[in-house]
Amino acid sequence: MMSEKTINIMIAEDQGLILHSIVQMLETVPEFHIMGTASNGIELLDLLKQKKPDIILMDIKMPKMSGLEVTRIIDSKMPWIKIIVLSMYDHPSFIKELLKSGAKGFLSKNCTFNELCDAVRSVYSGKTFLCNATSQIVLNNFANSGGEVQNEIHTLTSREIEIIQFLAEGHVTRMIASKLFISEKTVERHKTNIFKKLQVKNTAHLIRLAVEKGLLMS
C-alpha cells in the first residue's frame, strides 16, 4: 500500500529508450509512483482524462503536439498538476517562456539522477526548480546580455521559437500550421513578428542568426 507521501508521476517522452530508463530509475525511489507514460502530447492529454498525477515529467519536443503546447493546455485546464520539462534545448529565452507558460521546473537531459529526484520533490512542495547546468546558463546570460539583437531575442515568445525551429527543419507555412493546430494566417503573422524583432529580411537570414544565437533545439 502506498503511503500518504507518495508522489504520483506521469512521464511524456517520445524516445523509448530514454523513457524506459527514466521509469526504471524513478521506480527505485519508494516515495515515487509512476502512474503512466506517454510518447506524445496527445497521448498524454488522453491519459490525463483518466488519471491525475501530482507531477508530469515531459520532453518538450514531441510528435503530434509539442510539449510547449501541452504545457499551456495543462496549465489552463489543470493548474494543480505541476510540470517539469526535460530537454537538451536550454536557451535562456526558451526556459523563461516555458516557465511563463506554466512549467514549474526545467532539467537538462544531462542532469544527474539526484537532480531529477530533487526536482520532483521541490516542485511537488511548491518550489520552482532549475538544474545546476541550467541555472548557470541563465545566470551567465543575465550577466553577459547586451546588444540590440541579443535584447530582442529575449522578447521572442515560446510560440515564435517553435516556429523558428520548424522553419529551420524546412517546413513551409501550411505544414507548420497543421503541426501547431493554428491557421496559416497566424503562422504568417508570427513570422512577420519574428523578422521584425530579429531584424532579418528572409528565412535564410533568420536561420543563420538562430544558429549563431543558439535558438535551435537539438
Side-chain angles (χ1 to χ4, degrees):
M1 180 180 295
M2 292 179 292
S3 70
E4 292 182 356
K5 293 184 179 180
T6 295
I7 301 175
N8 295 309
I9 302 169
M10 276 188 188
I11 306 169
E13 165 64 58
D14 67 315
Q15 297 186 46
L17 185 59
I18 294 176
L19 176 60
H20 180 69
S21 297
I22 294 173
V23 170
Q24 278 198 318
M25 287 189 296
L26 292 180
E27 284 182 336
T28 66
V29 182
E31 70 198 272
F32 296 165
H33 170 59
I34 310 302
M35 293 188 75
T37 62
S39 60
N40 60 68
I42 293 176
E43 189 177 320
L44 175 62
L45 292 177
D46 285 341
L47 195 58
L48 289 173
K49 295 175 183 177
Q50 307 165 32
K51 301 177 181 180
K52 297 296 184 287
D54 301 306
I55 299 286
I56 294 175
L57 293 173
M58 181 166 58
D59 187 11
I60 209 64
K61 189 179 180 185
M62 296 185 292
K64 298 187 179 180
M65 184 181 289
S66 75
L68 275 170
E69 189 68 20
V70 177
T71 297
R72 295 191 192 101
I73 292 171
I74 294 174
D75 187 57
S76 65
K77 295 184 177 181
M78 295 166 278
W80 58 89
I81 297 176
K82 298 169 182 177
I83 297 171
I84 300 172
V85 171
L86 292 164
S87 180
M88 290 300 295
Y89 180 62
D90 53 11
H91 191 278
S93 296
F94 190 69
I95 296 168
K96 177 182 175 182
E97 288 302 324
L98 266 170
L99 296 176
K100 285 172 62 177
S101 296
K104 302 303 180 186
F106 188 97
L107 291 167
S108 165
K109 285 187 176 178
N110 291 323
C111 73
T112 67
F113 178 57
N114 285 339
E115 283 182 308
L116 176 58
C117 294
D118 288 345
V120 171
R121 295 185 182 108
S122 294
V123 170
Y124 178 74
S125 69
K127 300 175 184 177
T128 298
F129 187 94
L130 299 178
C131 66
N132 290 334
T134 301
S135 296
Q136 193 61 50
I137 288 169
V138 172
L139 288 172
N140 288 343
N141 179 263
F142 177 78
N144 299 323
S145 61
E148 190 172 354
V149 173
Q150 181 68 29
N151 289 337
E152 292 299 334
I153 283 176
H154 293 303
T155 70
L156 291 172
T157 66
S158 53
R159 175 65 87 198
E160 288 167 348
I161 293 174
E162 277 184 295
I163 288 174
I164 291 172
Q165 178 72 26
F166 282 125
L167 289 171
E169 292 173 355
H171 296 298
V172 297
T173 297
R174 175 178 53 80
M175 296 168 65
I176 296 172
S178 175
K179 287 178 176 293
L180 296 179
F181 302 96
I182 58 178
S183 69
E184 293 182 31
K185 185 176 180 180
T186 299
V187 174
E188 288 298 331
R189 185 171 69 249
H190 283 307
K191 286 172 63 177
T192 298
N193 290 337
I194 292 167
F195 283 15
K196 286 181 179 178
K197 287 180 179 181
L198 299 185
Q199 304 169 33
V200 297
K201 295 181 179 180
N202 53 53
T203 301
H205 187 187
L206 170 64
I207 293 171
R208 285 200 304 272
L209 182 63
V211 171
E212 291 173 4
K213 300 299 180 181
L215 282 173
L216 299 182
M217 302 182 208
S218 57

